[in-house]
Amino acid sequence: MIDNCNDPSLRSFIDVPADSPFPIQNLPFGVFVKSENEGDYVSTVGFAIGDWILDLGEIIQARLLAPSLQDQLFTPPWDLAYLMAMERADWRSLRLGISKLLRRDNPTLRDNSELRAKALVRRRDARMLLPCRIPNYTDFYSSREHATNVGIMLRGPDNALMPNWLHLPVAYHGRASSVVVNGTDIRRPLGQTKADDAAAPTFGPSRSLDFELELGALIGRGNQLGTPISTGNAAEHVFGLVLVNDWSARDIQKWEYQPLGPFLSKNFATSISPWVVTLDALEPFRVAGPKQEPEPLPYLRCQGNWAYDIHLEIWLQTAKMTEPVRISATNAKHLYWNLCQQIAHHTIGGCNLQTGDLLASGTISGPTPDSLGSMLELAWKGTRPITLPSGETRTFLQDGDRVMIKGWCQGDGYRVGFGEVTGVVLPALV
Amino acid sequence: MIDNCNDPSLRSFIDVPADSPFPIQNLPFGVFVKSENEGDYVSTVGFAIGDWILDLGEIIQARLLAPSLQDQLFTPPWDLAYLMAMERADWRSLRLGISKLLRRDNPTLRDNSELRAKALVRRRDARMLLPCRIPNYTDFYSSREHATNVGIMLRGPDNALMPNWLHLPVAYHGRASSVVVNGTDIRRPLGQTKADDAAAPTFGPSRSLDFELELGALIGRGNQLGTPISTGNAAEHVFGLVLVNDWSARDIQKWEYQPLGPFLSKNFATSISPWVVTLDALEPFRVAGPKQEPEPLPYLRCQGNWAYDIHLEIWLQTAKMTEPVRISATNAKHLYWNLCQQIAHHTIGGCNLQTGDLLASGTISGPTPDSLGSMLELAWKGTRPITLPSGETRTFLQDGDRVMIKGWCQGDGYRVGFGEVTGVVLPALV
C-alpha cells in the first residue's frame, strides 16, 4: 500500500460525498463522547471519515496499530494532549495507520463487522469536546487587510498600519480558560462602555458584539523556557489547525484597551472547531503568501511556501431566518505573517510554548468588501448595515443570531475540510 | 484552645525569631521537595514555621487532622491545586488544625520525637516549587502612582492617566507558561527594538531589562463561564497572596505594544514567591485603601477595607557586590484598585477564573521617589541613574544582577511575611 495519505486517488470503503470535509485524505483528530455514554464523561479520540468517526480506543484495543505505536498507546487516550506531546513522526505514523485501515482495498476493518460496529460511530451520535485543555491562548493580528481596515476606521487611511506591523507579527495573550468548542452558546457580555460625547462610562450589555473569523494552530511538542524555535523547525511543533471565532465586544474594547490591549472585550468566549486538521493533511495546499516588503529580520525569514490555500466562509442566521446566509468568503492565503514566523517570533525572547497551546491567526480579511472577516469591517463600523434575506439588517450581532464559520481546501474532486464552528448569541444576564 | 490562628499571643514550640516571616500566626502553604528526594519528583505540601517546614503529607498519614479533612485528603497532595479547589472553610479548618498542632502547649507533635523527625524539614534542606500549575495569568495595572509615572514619561504630566484608568482596573492577559518560582535564573530576552531616530528596527538582546514589584493573588475556587463574581464574594475565591516580579523588557515593549499590549516584553518570565500567605493570615492587616474619586460604577463598589498594609522592599546585588542593597521600599496599601474590585471586573463579562489562576496587582509604586516599584521609575527612564555602594550605576538591569523582592505585614512583635522572590539575570543567548 502507498504511504502517501494525501493521494487524491485514495478511496475508503466508507462512502464519502465529494463535498464532505472529511474524506480519507483528511483524517482529522477529534475528541468525542458517544451519546450512549453522555453523563459518564467517557471521552475518547477519533478520526472523522465522511459521516462517521473511527474510534481510536477500539483500534488500540484491537491492536491494529503498528507495534511502536501500540507500545506508546497502551491505554486509549481520553483527549489529544497525550498524542500531541509525541513526536511529529508518531502523529504521521498514526495517521498513516488509520488511512490504511480505512482504505477500500484493505479487508482488516472493512470485513470485520463486529469491530466495525464497535469502532465506527455516526457523527450525529457523538458530541464533540475540546481537543485538549488549552494551556495558553495567543491571538495574532496577521492579516494586513484586517489591520489596515481597523486602522483606517480608527486613525484614517494615512496612518492605518502601525509602524511595527510590517516588521513583526503583532500578537497578544488571549484568555485560555474561556476557549469553548463548536456549539457552545455565547452569552452577550456586560461591561463598561463610553460614548465619544459622554462624560463618563456606563454599564450594561455590549451593543457591538462581533465575530472574528480566524484559523488556530494547536501546538504539539512545546519548547523549553529560554530556547527559541526557528522558522525552519516551527512546523514540527504544530499538531494541526482548527477554525476559530474570536468573539469580540467592540464597544467594551474601545473603552478598555489603552494602553495594555483587549481584556474583557475578548475573554468572555473564543470558539474553536473540534476537528484538528493536521499540517500533513494540509501539505498539498501550501502556497506562496503575500510578498513581504520590507524583508523581515533574519529570525523571521522562511524557506518555502507557508501560506495555506484554505477557503473560509462566514454564515449568519438570525432567529427569524429559516436557514443561514453566507455573508463573507475569504481565504487563509491572504495572511501576511505565516505560522512559522508567528512561532519563531513568539519564542524568540525565550517564551515556552506548551502542548495544546492555541495560536490564532487574527481576523482573516481579504482584499474585497465581500471577503472581510468581522462584522466591524463588513458593516464598516456600523455605517453600512448588512441586509439579510429576511429583510432584517445588521451592523453588529443581535441576541439569537447564529454565526457559523466553515473552511476547506479544495482538491481535485475532494475537500480537506475543517467542518464548522458555530455559536448562538444569548441575551446578557440582567 | 482558641480558634483564632491570628492571635498575637500564640507561640509555637518551634522557636521563631521576631523578624522571621513565618511565625505561627502566618502558616503559609507551599510545595517542596526534600533534598534527599531530589530527582524523584516527590513533592508535597507543607507549611512554613520559622526555619522549618511542616510536611502535610506526614500529618495526613499520622491522621492528625479533623476527620472531615482526613476524609477529603485521603492521599497527600503533591501540589496545592487540590486544596485550592476546596471551600474556603476547608482551608480555614486546615490552617486551624496546623496552628493547634504547632502550639507550645500542645504535646501531640511537640512530644512525639519520631513524628517530629519525619514531619519537620529544615527549610534549607528543601527546594520550593511553584505552588501549583498556573492555568491563567492576569496582570492588573492598579497602582495610580505607577500608572501616572509611566504616563508622564510617555505623554507628559497633563495626560498622564488614560481616561479609563479611574473608572476600571485596567488589566491584560499575561503568559501563564513562563511563570517561574523564586530562584529561577532569568535569561535576558532577544527581540526587536527601534530607536526613536532609526528608520527600521534592529534585533538583539534587550538593553532595558527591568523588574516590577507586584503582589499576586492565587485563585482558589473558580467560577463558571458566564457567571460573574461580585465584589462581596470575591475574597471567598482567593486562596492567598504571593510576591511577584513581572520582569519586563522596556525597549521591546515600546516597539511592540501598539495596539494590542505587551507580549514578548513580558512573556519570557514572571517570578513568584513560593509561600502562599492566606487571606485569613492577612486579615489583621486590612486597611482602608485610597479614596476613589469618581465613585466607581455599582459593580465595582465594595463594603469594608480591602487594602492590605504589606511592607514591600526591592533589593539589588550586582556581580561585583558582596551583599544586596535596598533600592526601594513601598507598601501594598497604596494600590488604588483592590482585589475584590479586580475579581469583580475580571468576571463581569462572564470570564471564568480557574483554580490556580494568578492575578497580579501591577507594579506597586508609592508616592515618594524612594518608593517606586520599577527601575524605569527609580531611574526615571534612564535619566537618573541609581548609584550603588560598589560605585556602579544602574539605569536598567545588567547581566549578573540579582533582584530580590521581600514583603511582610508588621504585627506587634511578629511579622506575617512572604519570604522573598529572587532572580539573577543571565546573559542573552547569542
Side-chain angles (χ1 to χ4, degrees):
Chain A
M1 283 196 248
I2 54 175
D3 277 356
N4 178 4
C5 304
N6 299 333
D7 190 315
S9 71
L10 287 179
R11 291 293 176 273
S12 173
F13 59 84
I14 295 175
D15 281 332
V16 179
D19 64 348
S20 167
F22 306 131
I24 194 168
Q25 288 81 7
N26 191 349
L27 302 179
F29 292 64
V31 175
F32 69 101
V33 179
K34 293 187 203 178
S35 304
E36 64 196 65
N37 292 333
E38 273 295 349
D40 291 343
Y41 301 99
V42 183
S43 63
T44 185
V45 169
F47 300 87
I49 175 81
D51 294 333
W52 298 81
I53 299 171
L54 180 64
D55 184 334
L56 176 63
E58 298 291 344
I59 300 304
I60 290 171
Q61 290 187 342
R63 302 196 65 79
L64 294 181
L65 299 179
S68 65
L69 278 170
Q70 285 285 159
D71 288 349
Q72 291 187 74
L73 299 168
F74 45 91
T75 179
W78 60 274
D79 78 1
L80 282 179
Y82 184 84
L83 293 168
M84 296 164 91
M86 292 163 70
E87 300 277 358
R88 189 173 183 188
D90 294 317
W91 318 329
R92 282 191 166 142
S93 165
L94 181 53
R95 180 162 168 266
L96 177 60
I98 298 299
S99 172
K100 288 181 174 175
L101 267 181
L102 287 169
R103 291 181 192 174
R104 184 167 288 179
D105 54 0
N106 184 345
T108 310
L109 178 59
R110 184 191 69 194
D111 297 347
N112 183 338
S113 58
E114 191 183 347
L115 180 58
R116 263 202 347 257
K118 281 196 293 190
L120 286 167
V121 181
R122 281 194 185 274
R123 285 202 286 125
R124 65 166 186 242
D125 294 334
R127 186 167 62 92
M128 301 303 297
L129 307 181
L130 281 180
C132 59
R133 184 180 66 78
I134 309 289
N136 304 273
Y137 164 39
T138 298
D139 196 17
F140 283 86
Y141 191 54
S142 290
S143 159
R144 182 172 186 163
E145 291 80 359
H146 171 68
T148 302
N149 290 337
V150 173
I152 290 172
M153 286 185 235
L154 288 179
R155 291 177 299 276
D158 294 338
N159 302 295
L161 278 188
M162 289 280 181
N164 58 15
W165 200 94
L166 291 170
H167 296 279
L168 55 85
V170 171
Y172 69 101
H173 299 120
R175 180 76 188 179
S177 70
S178 52
V179 175
V180 297
V181 75
N182 171 48
T184 305
D185 292 335
I186 304 303
R187 178 74 63 189
R188 179 182 299 272
L190 297 166
Q192 288 193 28
T193 59
K194 191 177 101 46
D196 287 338
D197 56 354
T202 55
F203 178 77
S206 167
R207 283 175 290 191
S208 310
L209 187 59
D210 202 354
F211 51 81
E212 289 192 337
L213 161 63
E214 308 194 12
L215 273 176
L218 287 169
I219 295 299
R221 300 210 108 174
N223 60 306
Q224 290 295 312
L225 186 63
T227 309
I229 298 171
S230 68
T231 54
N233 281 325
E236 299 299 307
H237 292 267
V238 178
F239 186 78
L241 304 189
V242 293
L243 302 171
V244 178
N245 183 344
D246 185 38
W247 306 91
S248 300
R250 301 296 180 193
D251 45 357
I252 294 173
Q253 185 174 1
K254 186 179 169 198
W255 173 232
E256 76 173 359
Y257 89 105
Q258 287 283 15
L260 300 178
F263 184 55
L264 298 189
S265 54
K266 300 277 192 173
N267 69 13
F268 56 97
T270 305
S271 302
I272 68 173
S273 59
W275 290 108
V276 188
V277 180
T278 62
L279 287 202
D280 290 330
L282 295 169
E283 189 67 21
F285 306 99
R286 276 170 54 186
V287 294
K291 179 167 169 56
Q292 296 186 321
E293 181 63 45
E295 186 182 30
L297 283 162
Y299 81 96
L300 289 173
R301 293 178 197 158
C302 293
Q303 296 293 321
N305 293 335
W306 284 102
Y308 287 95
D309 182 7
I310 304 172
H311 179 76
L312 298 161
E313 297 185 345
I314 306 167
W315 295 66
L316 178 64
Q317 182 177 1
T318 70
K320 289 188 182 164
M321 291 164 68
T322 53
E323 55 182 13
V325 62
R326 194 179 80 179
I327 58 172
S328 184
T330 184
N331 195 298
K333 71 185 176 192
H334 298 308
L335 285 168
Y336 187 86
W337 294 103
N338 67 49
L339 189 51
C340 299
Q341 294 175 316
Q342 290 169 346
I343 288 173
H345 184 66
H346 202 317
T347 61
I348 189 63
C351 182
N352 54 330
L353 302 183
Q354 296 179 314
T355 297
D357 281 359
L358 175 65
L359 273 58
S361 60
T363 308
I364 304 174
S365 290
T368 57
D370 58 353
S371 64
L372 303 171
S374 66
M375 192 74 105
L376 176 69
E377 293 163 88
L378 286 165
W380 207 257
K381 218 172 144 187
T383 61
R384 301 196 303 229
I386 298 174
T387 301
L388 301 171
S390 57
E392 298 169 284
T393 59
R394 285 290 181 275
T395 53
F396 289 102
L397 295 172
Q398 299 295 318
D399 295 344
D401 286 359
R402 174 186 302 269
V403 179
M404 184 198 307
I405 294 171
K406 300 189 208 183
W408 67 86
C409 304
Q410 185 65 55
D412 186 8
Y414 69 100
R415 289 178 172 182
V416 170
F418 290 80
E420 62 180 56
V421 57
T422 297
V424 175
V425 177
L426 299 183
L429 291 173
V430 282
Chain B
M1 283 194 247
I2 55 174
D3 278 355
N4 178 4
C5 304
N6 298 332
D7 190 315
S9 71
L10 287 178
R11 290 294 177 272
S12 172
F13 59 84
I14 295 174
D15 281 332
V16 179
D19 63 350
S20 168
F22 306 132
I24 194 168
Q25 288 80 7
N26 191 349
L27 302 178
F29 292 65
V31 175
F32 69 102
V33 179
K34 293 186 202 179
S35 304
E36 63 197 66
N37 292 333
E38 273 296 350
D40 291 343
Y41 302 99
V42 183
S43 64
T44 185
V45 170
F47 300 86
I49 175 82
D51 294 332
W52 298 81
I53 300 171
L54 180 64
D55 184 335
L56 176 62
E58 298 291 343
I59 300 304
I60 290 171
Q61 290 187 342
R63 303 197 66 78
L64 293 180
L65 299 179
S68 64
L69 278 170
Q70 286 285 160
D71 289 348
Q72 292 187 72
L73 297 168
F74 46 90
T75 179
W78 61 273
D79 79 0
L80 282 180
Y82 183 85
L83 293 169
M84 295 165 93
M86 292 162 69
E87 300 277 358
R88 190 173 183 187
D90 295 316
W91 318 330
R92 283 192 165 142
S93 165
L94 181 53
R95 180 164 169 265
L96 176 61
I98 298 298
S99 171
K100 287 181 173 174
L101 268 181
L102 287 169
R103 292 180 191 175
R104 183 167 287 178
D105 54 0
N106 184 346
T108 310
L109 178 59
R110 184 191 69 194
D111 296 348
N112 183 338
S113 58
E114 193 184 343
L115 179 58
R116 264 203 346 257
K118 281 196 293 190
L120 285 167
V121 181
R122 282 194 184 274
R123 285 203 285 126
R124 65 167 187 242
D125 293 334
R127 186 167 61 91
M128 300 303 297
L129 306 181
L130 281 180
C132 59
R133 184 179 65 78
I134 310 289
N136 304 274
Y137 164 38
T138 299
D139 197 17
F140 283 86
Y141 191 56
S142 290
S143 158
R144 182 172 185 164
E145 290 80 0
H146 171 68
T148 303
N149 290 336
V150 173
I152 289 172
M153 287 185 234
L154 288 180
R155 292 176 299 277
D158 294 337
N159 303 295
L161 278 188
M162 289 281 180
N164 58 16
W165 201 93
L166 291 171
H167 295 278
L168 55 84
V170 170
Y172 69 101
H173 299 120
R175 179 77 189 180
S177 71
S178 52
V179 175
V180 297
V181 75
N182 171 49
T184 305
D185 291 336
I186 304 303
R187 177 75 62 188
R188 179 183 298 273
L190 297 166
Q192 288 193 29
T193 59
K194 191 177 102 42
D196 287 338
D197 56 355
T202 55
F203 178 77
S206 167
R207 283 174 291 193
S208 310
L209 186 60
D210 202 355
F211 52 79
E212 289 192 337
L213 160 63
E214 308 194 11
L215 273 176
L218 287 169
I219 295 297
R221 300 210 106 173
N223 59 306
Q224 290 295 313
L225 187 63
T227 308
I229 298 171
S230 67
T231 54
N233 281 326
E236 299 300 306
H237 293 267
V238 178
F239 185 77
L241 305 189
V242 293
L243 302 171
V244 178
N245 183 344
D246 185 37
W247 305 91
S248 301
R250 301 297 178 192
D251 44 358
I252 294 173
Q253 184 174 1
K254 186 180 168 196
W255 173 234
E256 76 172 358
Y257 89 105
Q258 288 284 15
L260 299 179
F263 185 55
L264 298 188
S265 54
K266 300 278 192 173
N267 69 13
F268 57 97
T270 305
S271 302
I272 68 172
S273 58
W275 290 108
V276 188
V277 180
T278 62
L279 287 201
D280 289 329
L282 295 169
E283 188 68 19
F285 306 99
R286 277 171 53 186
V287 294
K291 179 167 169 55
Q292 296 187 321
E293 180 64 44
E295 186 182 31
L297 283 162
Y299 81 96
L300 290 172
R301 293 177 197 160
C302 292
Q303 296 293 320
N305 293 335
W306 284 103
Y308 287 95
D309 182 7
I310 305 173
H311 178 75
L312 298 160
E313 297 185 344
I314 306 168
W315 294 66
L316 177 65
Q317 181 177 2
T318 71
K320 288 187 183 164
M321 292 164 68
T322 53
E323 56 181 13
V325 62
R326 194 179 80 178
I327 58 172
S328 184
T330 184
N331 195 298
K333 71 184 176 191
H334 298 308
L335 285 168
Y336 187 87
W337 294 103
N338 67 50
L339 188 50
C340 299
Q341 294 175 316
Q342 289 169 346
I343 288 174
H345 184 66
H346 202 318
T347 60
I348 189 63
C351 182
N352 53 331
L353 302 183
Q354 297 179 312
T355 297
D357 281 358
L358 176 64
L359 273 58
S361 61
T363 308
I364 304 174
S365 290
T368 58
D370 58 353
S371 64
L372 304 171
S374 67
M375 193 74 104
L376 176 70
E377 294 164 88
L378 286 165
W380 206 258
K381 217 171 144 187
T383 60
R384 300 195 303 229
I386 298 175
T387 301
L388 301 170
S390 58
E392 298 169 283
T393 59
R394 285 290 181 273
T395 52
F396 289 102
L397 296 172
Q398 299 295 318
D399 296 343
D401 285 359
R402 175 187 301 269
V403 179
M404 184 198 307
I405 295 172
K406 301 188 206 183
W408 67 86
C409 304
Q410 185 65 55
D412 186 8
Y414 69 100
R415 289 179 172 180
V416 170
F418 290 80
E420 63 181 55
V421 57
T422 297
V424 175
V425 177
L426 299 184
L429 292 173
V430 283

